[in-house]
Amino acid sequence: MEVQETEVQTDRVFTIPNLLSLLRLLGVPLFLWLILVQEADLWALAVLALSGITDYLDGKLARRWNQISRVGELLDPLADRLYIFSTIVAFVLRDIIPLWFAILLVSRDVLLLCLVPILRRRGLISLPVHFLGKAATFCLLYAFPLLLLGIGDGTLHTLAQVFGWAFAVWGVALYWWAGVLYVEQARRLLRTGVAAEPEDEHDQ
């Protein structure tokens, strides 16, 4: 019954979860302006925190209200990737994270991006999102505000640095683990030519 309700609503566009994803997308240039131009770190921190909250809410509400849509399935990961990429660029420019850490993160997405034309030649548009990839994104979206809060001296800043880097390390590890699983998933799809069902969709 639940699967049928989801399928009926796959073409809906104007939903609250999609609006939340759109707001997250609009927040990307605002975040870059705050952190790079104004160097208003507290406001930039608020935008980052809000992006993490809305990332949780859009998926939660979409499942609870049966508002999962094809548009949402595109907007949500797009907003995640843009936030992660823009934050990496801003943090490198502000010397908050080292360049090698940024390269480690970006290279994973470059690897998966190389799979897109190969999959499309076989008629496959995208790979289903699984729980591990979402867990990695959550870790990174928690790590970035903490690392930004960790700028400065004092106990609070030190604790933010420690927990921020803990989330960052776990996020990168899960990010690459999910990337390896995506590559394996793509290999199976290319072999069979049949689209696979999303894994653990109820946990996303």
Side-chain angles (χ1 to χ4, degrees), residues 54-66:
T54 54
D55 182 50
Y56 170 78
L57 283 178
D58 62 11
K60 186 80 171 178
L61 295 178
R63 291 189 300 274
R64 176 168 296 182
W65 295 345
N66 291 322

PDB file of all heavy atoms in Angstrom, residues 54-66:
ATOM      1  N   THR A  54      17.011  21.473   7.201  1.00  0.00           N
ATOM      2  CA  THR A  54      16.072  21.282   6.092  1.00  0.00           C
ATOM      3  C   THR A  54      16.377  20.013   5.303  1.00  0.00           C
ATOM      4  O   THR A  54      15.474  19.400   4.732  1.00  0.00           O
ATOM      5  CB  THR A  54      16.090  22.494   5.149  1.00  0.00           C
ATOM      6  OG1 THR A  54      17.437  22.757   4.721  1.00  0.00           O
ATOM      7  CG2 THR A  54      15.545  23.732   5.847  1.00  0.00           C
ATOM      8  N   ASP A  55      17.652  19.601   5.279  1.00  0.00           N
ATOM      9  CA  ASP A  55      18.011  18.353   4.607  1.00  0.00           C
ATOM     10  C   ASP A  55      17.349  17.173   5.307  1.00  0.00           C
ATOM     11  O   ASP A  55      16.893  16.227   4.659  1.00  0.00           O
ATOM     12  CB  ASP A  55      19.528  18.179   4.593  1.00  0.00           C
ATOM     13  CG  ASP A  55      19.942  16.913   3.870  1.00  0.00           C
ATOM     14  OD1 ASP A  55      19.475  16.698   2.735  1.00  0.00           O
ATOM     15  OD2 ASP A  55      20.729  16.126   4.437  1.00  0.00           O
ATOM     16  N   TYR A  56      17.274  17.247   6.631  1.00  0.00           N
ATOM     17  CA  TYR A  56      16.597  16.200   7.399  1.00  0.00           C
ATOM     18  C   TYR A  56      15.093  16.277   7.205  1.00  0.00           C
ATOM     19  O   TYR A  56      14.423  15.263   6.986  1.00  0.00           O
ATOM     20  CB  TYR A  56      16.955  16.336   8.877  1.00  0.00           C
ATOM     21  CG  TYR A  56      16.122  15.467   9.786  1.00  0.00           C
ATOM     22  CD1 TYR A  56      16.368  14.106   9.911  1.00  0.00           C
ATOM     23  CD2 TYR A  56      15.069  16.020  10.518  1.00  0.00           C
ATOM     24  CE1 TYR A  56      15.584  13.310  10.743  1.00  0.00           C
ATOM     25  CE2 TYR A  56      14.289  15.243  11.350  1.00  0.00           C
ATOM     26  CZ  TYR A  56      14.555  13.887  11.462  1.00  0.00           C
ATOM     27  OH  TYR A  56      13.777  13.114  12.281  1.00  0.00           O
ATOM     28  N   LEU A  57      14.550  17.503   7.242  1.00  0.00           N
ATOM     29  CA  LEU A  57      13.105  17.670   7.207  1.00  0.00           C
ATOM     30  C   LEU A  57      12.493  17.300   5.860  1.00  0.00           C
ATOM     31  O   LEU A  57      11.423  16.698   5.819  1.00  0.00           O
ATOM     32  CB  LEU A  57      12.741  19.120   7.547  1.00  0.00           C
ATOM     33  CG  LEU A  57      12.803  19.519   9.012  1.00  0.00           C
ATOM     34  CD1 LEU A  57      12.457  20.990   9.177  1.00  0.00           C
ATOM     35  CD2 LEU A  57      11.871  18.655   9.852  1.00  0.00           C
ATOM     36  N   ASP A  58      13.176  17.663   4.753  1.00  0.00           N
ATOM     37  CA  ASP A  58      12.526  17.416   3.459  1.00  0.00           C
ATOM     38  C   ASP A  58      12.306  15.928   3.220  1.00  0.00           C
ATOM     39  O   ASP A  58      11.258  15.522   2.723  1.00  0.00           O
ATOM     40  CB  ASP A  58      13.274  18.091   2.300  1.00  0.00           C
ATOM     41  CG  ASP A  58      14.686  17.579   2.112  1.00  0.00           C
ATOM     42  OD1 ASP A  58      15.047  16.575   2.721  1.00  0.00           O
ATOM     43  OD2 ASP A  58      15.439  18.207   1.349  1.00  0.00           O
ATOM     44  N   GLY A  59      13.278  15.099   3.596  1.00  0.00           N
ATOM     45  CA  GLY A  59      13.090  13.664   3.445  1.00  0.00           C
ATOM     46  C   GLY A  59      12.067  13.100   4.415  1.00  0.00           C
ATOM     47  O   GLY A  59      11.247  12.247   4.060  1.00  0.00           O
ATOM     48  N   LYS A  60      12.102  13.602   5.653  1.00  0.00           N
ATOM     49  CA  LYS A  60      11.170  13.138   6.678  1.00  0.00           C
ATOM     50  C   LYS A  60       9.727  13.458   6.291  1.00  0.00           C
ATOM     51  O   LYS A  60       8.838  12.601   6.369  1.00  0.00           O
ATOM     52  CB  LYS A  60      11.520  13.813   8.005  1.00  0.00           C
ATOM     53  CG  LYS A  60      10.732  13.314   9.208  1.00  0.00           C
ATOM     54  CD  LYS A  60      11.307  12.021   9.712  1.00  0.00           C
ATOM     55  CE  LYS A  60      10.670  11.628  11.038  1.00  0.00           C
ATOM     56  NZ  LYS A  60      11.201  10.333  11.532  1.00  0.00           N
ATOM     57  N   LEU A  61       9.498  14.700   5.873  1.00  0.00           N
ATOM     58  CA  LEU A  61       8.149  15.117   5.515  1.00  0.00           C
ATOM     59  C   LEU A  61       7.674  14.443   4.235  1.00  0.00           C
ATOM     60  O   LEU A  61       6.488  14.120   4.103  1.00  0.00           O
ATOM     61  CB  LEU A  61       8.097  16.640   5.348  1.00  0.00           C
ATOM     62  CG  LEU A  61       8.348  17.459   6.615  1.00  0.00           C
ATOM     63  CD1 LEU A  61       8.330  18.946   6.313  1.00  0.00           C
ATOM     64  CD2 LEU A  61       7.332  17.120   7.696  1.00  0.00           C
ATOM     65  N   ALA A  62       8.587  14.241   3.287  1.00  0.00           N
ATOM     66  CA  ALA A  62       8.201  13.596   2.029  1.00  0.00           C
ATOM     67  C   ALA A  62       7.672  12.185   2.286  1.00  0.00           C
ATOM     68  O   ALA A  62       6.695  11.762   1.665  1.00  0.00           O
ATOM     69  CB  ALA A  62       9.392  13.560   1.075  1.00  0.00           C
ATOM     70  N   ARG A  63       8.322  11.469   3.199  1.00  0.00           N
ATOM     71  CA  ARG A  63       7.871  10.109   3.503  1.00  0.00           C
ATOM     72  C   ARG A  63       6.596  10.117   4.328  1.00  0.00           C
ATOM     73  O   ARG A  63       5.688   9.344   4.064  1.00  0.00           O
ATOM     74  CB  ARG A  63       8.977   9.353   4.249  1.00  0.00           C
ATOM     75  CG  ARG A  63      10.189   9.042   3.406  1.00  0.00           C
ATOM     76  CD  ARG A  63      11.135   8.103   4.147  1.00  0.00           C
ATOM     77  NE  ARG A  63      11.588   8.683   5.390  1.00  0.00           N
ATOM     78  CZ  ARG A  63      12.636   9.490   5.505  1.00  0.00           C
ATOM     79  NH1 ARG A  63      13.328   9.832   4.423  1.00  0.00           N
ATOM     80  NH2 ARG A  63      13.005   9.974   6.679  1.00  0.00           N
ATOM     81  N   ARG A  64       6.530  11.008   5.309  1.00  0.00           N
ATOM     82  CA  ARG A  64       5.373  11.026   6.208  1.00  0.00           C
ATOM     83  C   ARG A  64       4.112  11.455   5.474  1.00  0.00           C
ATOM     84  O   ARG A  64       3.019  10.934   5.736  1.00  0.00           O
ATOM     85  CB  ARG A  64       5.651  11.964   7.387  1.00  0.00           C
ATOM     86  CG  ARG A  64       4.466  12.121   8.338  1.00  0.00           C
ATOM     87  CD  ARG A  64       4.868  12.800   9.622  1.00  0.00           C
ATOM     88  NE  ARG A  64       5.814  11.990  10.375  1.00  0.00           N
ATOM     89  CZ  ARG A  64       6.298  12.351  11.565  1.00  0.00           C
ATOM     90  NH1 ARG A  64       5.930  13.497  12.121  1.00  0.00           N
ATOM     91  NH2 ARG A  64       7.160  11.572  12.206  1.00  0.00           N
ATOM     92  N   TRP A  65       4.237  12.440   4.569  1.00  0.00           N
ATOM     93  CA  TRP A  65       3.070  12.974   3.863  1.00  0.00           C
ATOM     94  C   TRP A  65       2.895  12.376   2.476  1.00  0.00           C
ATOM     95  O   TRP A  65       2.070  12.855   1.701  1.00  0.00           O
ATOM     96  CB  TRP A  65       3.192  14.495   3.752  1.00  0.00           C
ATOM     97  CG  TRP A  65       3.139  15.197   5.074  1.00  0.00           C
ATOM     98  CD1 TRP A  65       2.722  14.684   6.267  1.00  0.00           C
ATOM     99  CD2 TRP A  65       3.538  16.550   5.349  1.00  0.00           C
ATOM    100  NE1 TRP A  65       2.830  15.613   7.264  1.00  0.00           N
ATOM    101  CE2 TRP A  65       3.323  16.772   6.736  1.00  0.00           C
ATOM    102  CE3 TRP A  65       4.047  17.585   4.570  1.00  0.00           C
ATOM    103  CZ2 TRP A  65       3.612  17.987   7.338  1.00  0.00           C
ATOM    104  CZ3 TRP A  65       4.331  18.800   5.177  1.00  0.00           C
ATOM    105  CH2 TRP A  65       4.104  19.005   6.548  1.00  0.00           C
ATOM    106  N   ASN A  66       3.655  11.331   2.161  1.00  0.00           N
ATOM    107  CA  ASN A  66       3.584  10.699   0.841  1.00  0.00           C
ATOM    108  C   ASN A  66       3.771  11.714  -0.280  1.00  0.00           C
ATOM    109  O   ASN A  66       3.015  11.743  -1.258  1.00  0.00           O
ATOM    110  CB  ASN A  66       2.246   9.961   0.658  1.00  0.00           C
ATOM    111  CG  ASN A  66       2.132   8.748   1.548  1.00  0.00           C
ATOM    112  OD1 ASN A  66       3.101   8.026   1.756  1.00  0.00           O
ATOM    113  ND2 ASN A  66       0.949   8.519   2.098  1.00  0.00           N
TER     114      ASN A  66
END
